[in-house]
């Protein structure tokens, strides 16, 4: 292991934090997501609430603002004049497993659910999807798009085929795109084809360190993008490896891809995308805010540098000219790592591309630290958290589809996403939202705010305390309201 220099230590992701998500229960489901200002002088503030104390209730309209009297515990100030990143949006991953459970439904019922998920006017308006390139841990089987018998190679990619995705995944993606034409697609591979790997398997191992393999892998990814575009699903962003610091993934596809190897792939991929006339942008890294100790130990145990400053090191290579931004996951570390990276590379974007179980707290944290997206993991799973080939055995989808009855249950993930996706639009800008809690408040409110292209504002507030309500005075130009936020509640205010 190479000891990090003092400058690298300064840039390292901040203190690891196991931030728990708030208990979520219900969200109002009124159609017509974005509130219009009532007038130029005194906007009418509306609120939509998911209250942890009312599990099972279903509100069908925005509830009246819960007004409070007397001094407030907290002041939440929104300043639309201070602007940050533009959003691509919020969403999940339409994995092979998600497609499988969606196709258990009757076509009419599946279409109705897709409208509820993706339509900005009839549903919650999900606007970003992250698509695995080949199998992930949530797949019905292991597969890539260019597998050949063991011991053989296919540098010419003569066996490349997207047949697996044409059956269910691509039709669903086209449907989602039709429902929300501003849908952003981010694609990520869990592994190159087996014949490109040191172990001859999609499970674990490394990419073979040969120029011919780097060239073939770059062309493989280009063919994927071309095939998806031809099928009516343009790929907006592309990463070259999901969780590249992952070692010892024993039961599902994964690849340990060091910085130097990722840079070599990206240099070839960037040039190949340009030569093919494709506008797909490349994102680097695609892993946690900080390196998980399990992954770091796995590398040090075999005498390798765990590369704790991976995103910084990657953006310091020649490949950086092809990299539009950095993709992060929420499973370990602190979202402030995103702001630290942004400060060092201000011309590079930040995306949150995978999160399961993070809830509103991590979503607010990601947004307040420059993320242009928040993508939860599976869009849909069954009641056994599957089907899957390995990895996470307790992950939830945004919806659960019963394997026997095909009944749909909306999970906490669904309601968390809805608090954001329903009230923001792609192209919305995050604006300043500061929280001033009472002295001694050990569990203060959390907040983030957005200005939509039509001029409307959405403010999302979380009370992380499961027992104590908070009173808050909301202030913005033309707005001053004192309201109560219930214990454990997530509330979206619009004006």
């Amino acid at each position: 292991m190479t000891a990090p220099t003092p400058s690298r230590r300064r840039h390292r992701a901040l203190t690891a934090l196991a931030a728990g998500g708030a208990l979520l229960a219900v969200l109002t489901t009124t159609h017509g997501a974005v509130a219009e200002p009532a007038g130029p002088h005194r906007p009418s503030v509306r609120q939509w609430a998911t209250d942890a104390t009312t599990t099972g209730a279903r509100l069908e309209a925005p509830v009246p603002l819960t007004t409070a009297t007397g001094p407030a515990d907290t002041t939440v100030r929104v300043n639309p004049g201070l602007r940050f990143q533009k959003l691509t949006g919020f969403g999940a991953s339409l994995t092979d497993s998600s497609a499988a459970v969606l196709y258990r439904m009757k076509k009419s019922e599946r279409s109705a659910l897709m409208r509820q998920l993706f339509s900005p006017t009839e549903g919650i308006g999900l606007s970003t999807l992250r698509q695995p390139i080949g199998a992930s841990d949530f797949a019905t089987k292991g597969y890539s798009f260019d597998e050949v018998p063991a011991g053989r190679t296919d540098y010419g990619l003569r066996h490349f085929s997207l047949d697996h995705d044409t059956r269910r995944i691509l039709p669903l993606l086209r449907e989602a795109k039709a429902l929300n034409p501003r849908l952003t697609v981010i694609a990520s591979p869990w592994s190159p084809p087996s014949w490109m790997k040191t172990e001859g398997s999609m499970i674990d191992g490394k990419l073979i360190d040969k120029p011919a393999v780097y060239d073939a892998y770059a062309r493989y990814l280009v063919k994927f993008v071309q095939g998806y575009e031809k099928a009516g699903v343009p790929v907006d962003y592309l990463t070259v490896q999901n969780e590249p610091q992952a070692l010892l993934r024993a039961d599902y596809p994964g690849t340990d891809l060091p910085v130097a190897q990722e840079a070599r792939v990206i240099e070839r991929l960037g040039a190949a995308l340009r030569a093919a006339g494709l506008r797909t942008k490349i994102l680097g890294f695609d892993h946690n805010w900080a390196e998980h100790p399990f992954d770091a130990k796995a590398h040090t145990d075999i005498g390798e540098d765990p590369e704790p400053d991976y995103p910084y090191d990657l953006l310091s290579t020649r490949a950086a000219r092809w990299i539009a931004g950095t993709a992060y996951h929420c499973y370990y570390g602190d979202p402030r790592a995103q702001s630290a990276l942004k400060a060092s590379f201000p011309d590079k974007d930040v995306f949150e591309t995978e999160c399961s179980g993070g809830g509103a707290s991590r979503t607010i944290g990601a947004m307040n630290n420059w993320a242009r997206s928040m993508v939860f993991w599976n869009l849909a799973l069954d009641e056994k958290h599957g089907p899957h080939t390995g990895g996470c055995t307790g992950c939830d989808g945004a919806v659960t589809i019963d394997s026997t009855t095909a009944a749909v249950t909306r999970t906490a993930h669904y309601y968390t996403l809805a608090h954001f996706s329903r009230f923001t639009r792609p192209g919305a800008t995050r604006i300043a939202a500061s929280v001033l809690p009472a002295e001694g408040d050990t569990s203060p409110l959390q907040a983030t705010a957005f200005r939509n292209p039509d001029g409307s504002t959405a403010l999302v507030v979380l009370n992380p305390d499961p027992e104590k309500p908070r009173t808050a005075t909301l202030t913005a130009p033309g707005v001053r309201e004192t309201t109560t936020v219930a214990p454990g509640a997530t509330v979206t205010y619009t004006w």
Side-chain angles (χ1 to χ4, degrees):
M1 173 181 175
T2 301
T5 64
S7 62
R8 290 177 74 191
R9 282 196 293 268
R10 281 197 299 271
H11 288 310
R12 185 174 298 173
L14 300 173
T15 306
L17 182 65
L23 174 64
L24 300 177
V26 295
L27 174 74
T28 58
T29 55
T30 301
H31 299 321
V34 180
E36 295 291 341
H41 303 297
R42 187 70 175 175
S44 175
V45 179
R46 297 192 291 175
Q47 72 173 16
W48 283 256
T50 295
D51 188 342
T53 65
T54 56
T55 303
R58 184 63 52 83
L59 302 175
E60 296 298 337
V63 297
L65 194 70
T66 308
T67 57
T69 58
D73 300 319
T74 302
T75 299
V76 180
R77 290 196 174 100
V78 177
N79 179 3
L82 189 56
R83 301 189 171 211
F84 302 93
Q85 75 275 21
K86 287 187 179 296
L87 297 183
T88 63
F90 303 88
S93 290
L94 212 166
T95 60
D96 187 43
S97 296
S98 294
V101 299
L102 283 163
Y103 265 80
R104 292 172 183 166
M105 305 177 72
K106 294 179 181 178
K107 184 177 180 180
S108 60
E109 294 173 348
R110 182 171 66 245
S111 295
L113 177 58
M114 291 290 283
R115 281 196 304 276
Q116 292 168 16
L117 290 168
F118 292 100
S119 171
T121 55
E122 299 179 69
I124 63 173
L126 298 183
S127 56
T128 302
L129 283 175
R130 178 175 180 242
Q131 291 310 118
I133 301 175
S136 68
D137 43 329
F138 282 89
T140 54
K141 64 178 182 178
Y143 65 95
S144 79
F145 300 122
D146 195 326
E147 288 301 306
V148 294
R152 296 186 184 180
T153 59
D154 184 23
Y155 289 103
L157 302 180
R158 293 183 299 275
H159 297 280
F160 183 93
S161 172
L162 291 175
D163 283 352
H164 180 278
D165 286 14
T166 61
R167 301 185 195 101
R168 295 183 296 212
I169 294 174
L170 280 164
L172 289 169
L173 288 172
R174 285 192 292 268
E175 187 173 358
K177 188 78 171 176
L179 289 164
N180 193 340
R182 300 196 66 184
L183 184 74
T184 293
V185 175
I186 304 170
S188 302
W190 267 241
S191 174
S194 300
W195 56 271
M196 298 184 188
K197 303 281 291 293
T198 55
E199 307 297 325
S201 170
M202 290 182 65
I203 298 175
D204 214 359
K206 297 179 182 289
L207 188 65
I208 294 171
D209 188 17
K210 290 182 179 180
V213 173
Y214 297 130
D215 291 340
Y217 189 34
R219 287 185 286 110
Y220 171 85
L221 294 172
V222 169
K223 285 180 75 69
F224 167 82
V225 174
Q226 289 173 321
Y228 259 52
E229 185 164 293
K230 185 177 180 180
V233 184
V235 176
D236 301 283
Y237 293 92
L238 184 66
T239 76
V240 303
Q241 179 56 52
N242 170 71
E243 300 185 347
Q245 294 182 299
L247 199 62
L248 306 179
R249 299 300 191 256
D251 57 0
Y252 66 94
T255 306
D256 174 25
L257 192 70
V259 169
Q261 286 197 298
E262 178 154 328
R264 291 181 191 121
V265 173
I266 289 173
E267 285 195 79
R268 290 162 171 82
L269 177 61
L273 288 168
R274 175 181 289 180
L278 296 167
R279 301 179 65 181
T280 304
K281 297 179 181 179
I282 300 171
L283 302 178
F285 191 46
D286 212 5
H287 211 163
N288 290 326
W289 291 317
E291 188 171 20
H292 195 284
F294 176 88
D295 295 327
K297 185 177 185 301
H299 284 94
T300 56
D301 283 350
I302 59 174
E304 292 184 351
D305 182 356
E307 300 184 319
D309 298 310
Y310 194 117
Y312 293 91
D313 295 342
L314 181 62
L315 289 175
S316 299
T317 68
R318 292 192 310 171
R321 63 181 176 141
W322 300 110
I323 300 174
T326 297
Y328 279 101
H329 296 185
C330 78
Y331 302 118
Y332 191 76
D334 188 313
R336 288 176 293 178
Q338 297 175 174
S339 286
L341 185 72
K342 184 71 173 177
S344 294
F345 301 95
D347 60 331
K348 304 297 184 182
D349 287 328
V350 173
F351 291 78
E352 181 68 37
T353 53
E354 186 181 320
C355 190
S356 184
S361 180
R362 291 192 185 185
T363 305
I364 289 171
M367 292 297 106
N368 286 345
N369 287 279
W370 293 99
R372 295 190 61 194
S373 66
M374 170 53 85
V375 182
F376 283 8
W377 194 192
N378 293 271
L379 183 68
L381 292 175
D382 64 24
E383 75 281 6
K384 298 178 182 178
H385 311 282
H388 56 79
T389 59
C392 180
T393 58
C395 287
D396 286 323
V399 295
T400 299
I401 300 174
D402 189 89
S403 57
T404 302
T405 65
V408 176
T409 303
R410 288 153 183 79
T411 71
H413 289 8
Y414 174 94
Y415 293 110
T416 298
L417 286 169
H419 269 288
F420 295 86
S421 64
R422 202 174 167 73
F423 306 103
T424 62
R425 293 289 175 262
T429 301
R430 180 174 69 88
I431 57 179
S434 58
V435 176
L436 286 76
E439 185 176 355
D441 188 346
T442 58
S443 186
L445 297 178
Q446 301 170 25
T448 192
F450 308 92
R451 174 62 64 90
N452 280 297
D454 67 357
S456 60
T457 298
L459 167 67
V460 183
V461 175
L462 167 68
N463 180 0
D465 193 320
E467 298 179 354
K468 183 179 178 182
R470 293 288 194 277
T471 56
T473 298
L474 314 179
T475 68
V479 172
R480 185 175 181 86
E481 299 283 357
T482 299
T483 184
T484 300
V485 185
T490 303
V491 186
T492 301
Y493 302 95
T494 64
W495 61 87

